[in-house]
Amino acid sequence: MTDIYTALADSTRRALLDELADRDGQTLFELCARLVSRHDISSSRQAITQHLGVLEEVGLVHTRRHGRYKFHHADFAPLRTLSTRWPIPQEDTA
C-alpha cells in the first residue's frame, strides 16, 4: 500500500491533482490531453492510469462510471487530515 507522501512525491501525480482541482470530473482522455498541453507531460494512457490508481489507493481520487466513460474526481480530505496530524502548539502571548 502506498502512503500519501509517496503518492504526492511524483510530479505527474501532482499535475493530475492540479488538473482535477482546476476541473473536476475528467476522463482519462481529457486528463492526458491537459497534461500534454499544460504541463508538457506526454506519458502513455497506461502510465497515467497507473498514476491515477496510486492516487485512488490513498483516497485522493475517486472514479465514477457513466456508460463507457470513467470520470475522475479529486478528494482533498486526506490532505486536510495531514494538517491535523501534528498540530502546531499555540505560542503563549501573555
Side-chain angles (χ1 to χ4, degrees):
M1 176 156 201
T2 305
D3 74 350
I4 197 164
Y5 297 106
T6 303
L8 293 173
D10 185 89
S11 61
T12 300
R13 290 192 283 267
R14 290 192 307 271
L16 283 165
L17 289 173
D18 288 342
E19 289 308 316
L20 290 172
D22 186 50
R23 197 176 118 237
D24 205 25
Q26 296 184 63
T27 65
L28 176 63
F29 178 80
E30 292 170 314
L31 285 167
C32 288
R34 288 173 68 106
L35 288 176
V36 169
S37 66
R38 297 178 78 187
H39 301 275
D40 201 29
I41 297 172
S42 59
S43 297
S44 68
R45 289 189 329 184
Q46 182 179 5
I48 298 303
T49 299
Q50 290 174 343
H51 284 299
L52 288 166
V54 170
L55 293 171
E56 194 168 5
E57 185 179 320
V58 298
L60 290 170
V61 169
H62 299 286
T63 58
R64 173 183 56 84
R65 268 204 186 277
H66 185 64
R68 294 180 4 184
Y69 299 99
K70 189 175 182 181
F71 296 91
H72 301 85
H73 299 274
D75 181 358
F76 296 107
L79 296 177
R80 284 190 275 290
T81 61
L82 286 179
S83 66
T84 60
R85 184 172 180 177
W86 297 288
I88 298 170
Q90 297 294 324
E91 290 185 27
D92 189 20
T93 58

